[in-house]
Amino acid sequence: MRLLVTGGAGFIGANFVHATVRERPDVEVTVIDALTYAGSRESLAPVADRIRLVAGDITDAELVDRLVAEADAVVHFAAETHVDNALADPAPFVHSNVVGTFTVLEAVRRHGVRLHHVSTDEVYGDLPLDSPQRFTERTPYNPSSPYSATKAGADMLVRAWVRSYGVRATISNCSNNYGPYQHVEKFIPRQITNVLTGRRPKLYGSGANVRDWIHVDDHNRAVWRILTDGRIGRTYLIGADGERSNLSVLRTILRLMGRDPDDFDHVADRAGHDLRYAIDPSALRDELGWRPCHTDFEAGLRATIEWYRENESWWRPLKDAVEARYQERGQ
Ligand code: NAD
Ligand code: TDX
């Protein structure tokens, strides 16, 4: 199989490429990635001689058309992904997430190539705390931020291209990922690297907001299951029953790193901050038999902390600029 991976130099995409090279030697991987601030060649360095990396933008229709024509399937991760950046400047989100997905769709339509589109649970908006309600495939879209609105728009384009043009696509909406190679702007790596650089971790608001955590390798195993056995036109929700408040995740990180669990700062809350995300993954489990392997969150967090300790050369060059930007925003 010749597989085109968009955004393969980012967090989830790079882990996907590593796992694919490791576990599926029959798959020929080409990555297209614009190598924005969020993508790096270093994330693919361990597999560099086993894949082809094309530096390019997914809105470059001619380039995308050429790469799609050479592929049997496309897994589409490329996107602008950080909510705080979207609040500060939404323009790149419309460009990459909406126009980028449109460009990929037009190419797979022309060449009849199978597409899996990677999306987020944030398209469903948020849920009240302490309620049994969780997101399912039938939950109406209700995005809150410019990020989730552009991801929702991209999902809608995929659905329309399936129905109107018969494009062979599936969609997955996953909860919050953690693991190696995640950019230090995101919650868990930011706090780990704050401790490692002698800074105090920063919690938005009271920390009562709940996220549903999944290890990135479990997400990527689900993507492979859907790519091989998913029903065309279907949306699958991916989650691992990992609901936790931000406060409890932060206190666990501090404890695992040998710090006082109260040694952090409360900072300005995020505008429009979604309260709670929670995925009901039963359709994926029942129909495709997928189960998460990383069911011990604390063990996964410990391994992630270890990875950041051992790979300072990967994140250190990014850290000061990220913190300077947060400081400007009072966060
Ligand atoms: P990331 O920001 O770490 O990586 C995104 C990658 O896309 C980067 O390598 C970047 O250079 C590339 N990219 C951005 N715009 C591009 C463009 N116009 N052309 C080509 N490449 C471009 O993001 P991530 O966390 O790995 O997320 C990957 C996908 O998974 C996204 O679609 C995101 O919405 C989705 N997702 C993420 C999470 C999460 O918790 N991180 C959860 C659910 C879904
Ligand atoms: O320093 C921080 N302090 C803090 O309390 C940061 C960076 C975040 N937070 C909070 C905000 C959120 O409630 O932690 C939670 C997680 O924040 P992010 O890592 O920014 O993730 P989130 O906004 O939940 O979105 C993530 O999950 C879904 C990804 O960034 C998205 O790309 C994905 O679609």
Side-chain angles (χ1 to χ4, degrees):
M1 182 199 242
R2 296 165 304 167
L3 190 63
L4 179 63
V5 180
T6 75
F11 162 49
I12 304 176
N15 280 286
F16 180 84
V17 170
H18 287 222
T20 301
V21 166
R22 194 170 56 236
E23 291 157 22
R24 298 170 192 264
D26 50 325
V27 176
E28 277 176 38
V29 177
T30 297
V31 168
I32 175 172
D33 197 297
L35 301 173
T36 68
Y37 82 93
S40 80
R41 281 182 194 280
E42 290 78 58
S43 302
L44 292 171
V47 294
D49 56 345
R50 309 274 303 277
I51 64 158
R52 174 167 63 137
L53 170 58
V54 179
D57 197 298
I58 52 161
T59 61
D60 179 343
E62 210 176 295
L63 174 63
V64 170
D65 187 82
R66 181 158 54 77
L67 296 177
V68 166
E70 296 167 2
D72 300 308
V74 179
V75 179
H76 177 35
F77 291 101
E80 287 289 336
T81 62
H82 194 40
V83 174
D84 296 316
N85 294 345
L87 292 165
D89 179 13
F93 290 72
V94 174
H95 173 82
S96 292
N97 302 2
V98 181
V99 181
T101 300
F102 162 75
T103 310
V104 171
L105 279 166
E106 284 292 83
V108 296
R109 169 157 88 101
R110 262 191 304 275
H111 298 287
V113 169
R114 168 86 168 89
L115 170 69
H116 180 70
H117 171 68
V118 177
S119 189
T120 170
D121 60 357
E122 298 196 19
V123 299
Y124 298 114
D126 60 356
L127 296 164
L129 295 175
D130 306 320
S131 115
Q133 227 183 319
R134 299 200 287 177
F135 301 135
T136 72
E137 288 81 357
R138 289 168 304 286
T139 305
Y141 275 35
N142 187 25
S144 321
S145 72
Y147 163 66
S148 51
T150 57
K151 291 297 290 186
D155 295 7
M156 293 303 177
L157 292 178
V158 177
R159 289 180 182 195
W161 262 239
V162 170
R163 169 127 180 205
S164 300
Y165 300 122
V167 160
R168 289 181 300 129
T170 41
I171 299 175
S172 55
N173 297 83
C174 188
S175 61
N176 282 63
N177 286 221
Y178 73 97
Y181 296 105
Q182 187 168 29
H183 197 279
V184 292
E185 69 189 355
K186 302 295 198 311
F187 179 57
I188 287 179
R190 183 181 184 205
Q191 313 313 337
I192 295 171
T193 56
N194 273 1
V195 173
L196 293 177
T197 55
R199 296 171 166 96
R200 281 162 69 87
K202 310 287 184 217
L203 188 67
Y204 293 176
S206 68
N209 306 62
V210 168
R211 295 295 181 265
D212 189 354
W213 293 100
I214 183 172
H215 193 279
V216 64
D217 287 342
D218 282 331
H219 178 186
N220 283 330
R221 262 189 288 273
V223 167
W224 261 112
R225 289 290 300 129
I226 298 165
L227 183 65
T228 49
D229 293 316
R231 237 184 33 235
I232 298 303
R234 268 290 309 263
T235 284
Y236 294 90
L237 267 61
I238 308 173
D241 300 317
E243 280 189 70
R244 273 155 211 275
S245 72
N246 294 339
L247 176 62
S248 92
V249 172
L250 179 53
R251 290 175 65 98
T252 308
I253 291 171
L254 282 161
R255 181 167 50 75
L256 292 175
M257 297 185 78
R259 300 299 161 109
D260 180 337
D262 292 321
D263 192 12
F264 64 85
D265 296 329
H266 288 278
V267 293
D269 206 353
R270 173 182 283 171
H273 197 172
D274 279 340
L275 203 48
R276 170 174 166 252
Y277 305 137
I279 292 270
D280 175 355
S282 45
L284 181 65
R285 291 178 190 203
D286 298 346
E287 283 177 37
L288 298 182
W290 171 88
R291 299 270 184 290
C293 298
H294 295 267
T295 48
D296 182 342
F297 179 69
E298 208 167 294
L301 209 47
R302 197 177 294 113
T304 303
I305 292 168
E306 226 18 66
W307 188 88
Y308 281 90
R309 265 195 221 287
E310 285 168 9
N311 290 275
E312 188 168 337
S313 61
W314 181 84
W315 57 264
R316 187 68 229 210
L318 313 169
K319 182 67 184 170
D320 291 349
V322 166
E323 289 307 316
R325 219 163 39 240
Y326 273 126
Q327 205 169 2
E328 280 166 23
R329 299 174 194 162
Q331 293 180 318

